[in-house]
Amino acid sequence: MTTIISTLVLPEEGKKLLSNFNVIEKEFTQEDLRRAEVLLAWPKEVSQLIDNMERLKIIQTFSAGVDDLPFQKIKEKEIKVFSNAGAYSVSVAEHAWALILTLAKGTNIRKRRESYPITGKTILILGAGGIGSEVAKIAKNGFSMRVIGASRSFKGNYDVKIPLNEVDKYIGDADVIVDTLPLNKFTKDFLNYERLTKTKQKVIIVNVGRGETVNKNDIEKILKERPDLRFGTDVFWRNDKEDFDVNLWSLDNFAGTLHVGGGYASQEILYNAINKACENLSSYLKLGKADNEVNINDYLG
């Protein structure tokens, strides 16, 4: 029987989805690790465990983002990896809109300021996956916006679809820009100073993807140079861990939240996401079919 190590105690629904397999939850021995073929974990936990899992063939992450995985070792061991992309999409999209409206209406500061209209304007969504598609749905149905999606692949309904390498042709059209990008070798520092200077006056930029897809020094520089540009983020820049202590909090044209849009938003959201990871893994183990297989080469080199 296939042995699965889970670093979390699974909700009851998750247990049922994997009931045909030998699942060892949270507390496991070195021998358990040695015998296991499958790992359910957060990406940083994989780095701590992979060297002790000589039979490991499949990794299913609890998180949508996978940039903390040890990709070189995964490639060497020929391990298949599935992310949990889409599990937090609705929650994060709602949070993106909370930040957009906070910045548009100036509710982040205790003073009167100009309100930026949203309805009927143009939104550019960077990354047209699960989160991006939900942001787009709200933009079209809630605010009658023209929606431009920039991505390598697309989910959802967009008025204009462009590849990421054509963003500079459209970025000046956007009244709102939402960054939902994963972090890989193609997206690091995607929003840099040169690209940010091409945005129109009174633009709102919100990041709910990964902190490092926005250049930290460049966004601080342009926010100081352009009080009209308003920036909000739920994700911050990391070394070993996410650092919320940045120089942006004192700026009137900044709004931030402490990475609470996804799994930290509520226990309900977290449990639903864990169950989705279990469902995806179960599908692969039983049927050989699963969503969100990670292209390892996107993160190497």
Side-chain angles (χ1 to χ4, degrees):
M1 180 181 290
T2 299
T3 296
I4 302 170
I5 295 290
S6 171
T7 59
L8 294 178
V9 175
L10 302 176
E12 288 305 313
E13 183 179 338
K15 294 178 192 289
K16 290 177 183 177
L17 286 164
L18 297 173
S19 60
N20 291 338
F21 308 99
N22 178 31
V23 182
I24 303 171
E25 302 169 80
K26 196 169 182 178
E27 296 184 2
F28 38 82
T29 66
Q30 289 297 312
E31 179 60 21
D32 293 331
L33 289 172
R34 190 190 67 79
R35 290 190 295 107
E37 299 97 337
V38 182
L39 177 61
L40 262 169
W42 301 101
K44 284 190 175 181
E45 295 173 324
V46 175
S47 298
Q48 299 164 10
L49 299 174
I50 192 171
D51 289 338
N52 298 314
M53 302 187 73
E54 59 188 58
R55 299 183 185 178
L56 183 62
K57 294 299 178 187
I58 301 163
I59 296 169
Q60 169 69 60
T61 65
F62 293 121
S63 62
V66 295
D67 44 281
D68 287 324
L69 286 171
F71 288 104
Q72 190 59 51
K73 290 182 179 179
I74 287 168
K75 185 173 184 178
E76 290 168 1
K77 292 174 177 285
E78 299 182 340
I79 298 167
K80 280 189 175 292
V81 179
F82 301 96
S83 81
N84 206 13
Y88 308 92
S89 295
V90 172
S91 172
V92 175
E94 289 176 351
H95 200 87
W97 275 101
L99 287 169
I100 292 167
L101 292 172
T102 291
L103 292 163
K105 305 309 173 186
T107 60
N108 58 313
I109 56 173
R110 191 181 175 183
K111 62 176 71 171
R112 286 185 175 175
R113 70 186 309 183
E114 181 181 0
S115 177
Y116 291 1
I118 294 293
T119 299
K121 300 293 186 176
T122 296
I123 185 170
L124 170 63
I125 300 171
L126 306 176
I131 297 169
S133 67
E134 293 295 335
V135 172
K137 187 187 301 182
I138 296 169
K140 291 182 77 68
N141 295 338
F143 297 97
S144 304
M145 299 182 82
R146 175 175 178 253
V147 182
I148 304 171
S151 191
R152 295 169 69 187
S153 60
F154 292 86
K155 295 179 181 178
N157 186 15
Y158 300 85
D159 298 302
V160 180
K161 297 178 180 180
I162 59 172
L164 280 173
N165 60 13
E166 292 187 10
V167 160
D168 291 342
K169 298 177 184 178
Y170 292 85
I171 197 168
D173 297 338
D175 301 284
V176 177
I177 299 169
V178 179
D179 178 352
T180 74
L181 294 169
L183 179 61
N184 56 43
K185 66 183 181 182
F186 303 108
T187 62
K188 189 175 189 303
D189 294 328
F190 189 83
L191 287 178
N192 53 35
Y193 186 77
E194 180 181 1
R195 188 160 278 143
L196 290 166
T197 60
K198 296 176 181 178
T199 59
K200 64 166 33 176
Q201 290 291 301
K202 300 181 182 179
V203 67
I204 295 167
I205 302 173
V206 165
N207 187 9
V208 290
R210 277 288 188 257
E212 293 84 358
T213 61
V214 178
N215 184 283
K216 181 180 179 181
N217 293 329
D218 291 354
I219 192 66
E220 182 178 344
K221 180 180 179 183
I222 204 162
L223 284 172
K224 290 177 178 177
E225 290 176 353
R226 284 183 49 187
D228 69 284
L229 188 155
R230 299 177 184 178
F231 174 66
T233 189
D234 185 49
V235 290
F236 289 76
W237 298 267
R238 299 167 298 166
N239 291 313
D240 291 331
K241 62 180 182 179
E242 212 163 12
D243 183 8
F244 302 118
D245 187 18
V246 294
N247 297 324
L248 302 175
W249 295 100
S250 62
L251 302 177
D252 285 351
N253 52 345
F254 171 75
T257 51
L258 305 181
H259 204 158
V260 295
Y264 291 111
S266 75
Q267 197 70 29
E268 178 184 351
I269 291 166
L270 179 59
Y271 275 12
N272 287 341
I274 294 170
N275 288 334
K276 189 174 186 302
C278 293
E279 181 180 12
N280 198 51
L281 177 59
S282 176
S283 176
Y284 184 75
L285 294 175
K286 293 176 181 177
L287 305 174
K289 298 178 181 179
D291 296 327
N292 308 319
E293 184 169 358
V294 176
N295 186 346
I296 305 301
N297 292 322
D298 284 355
Y299 298 85
L300 292 172

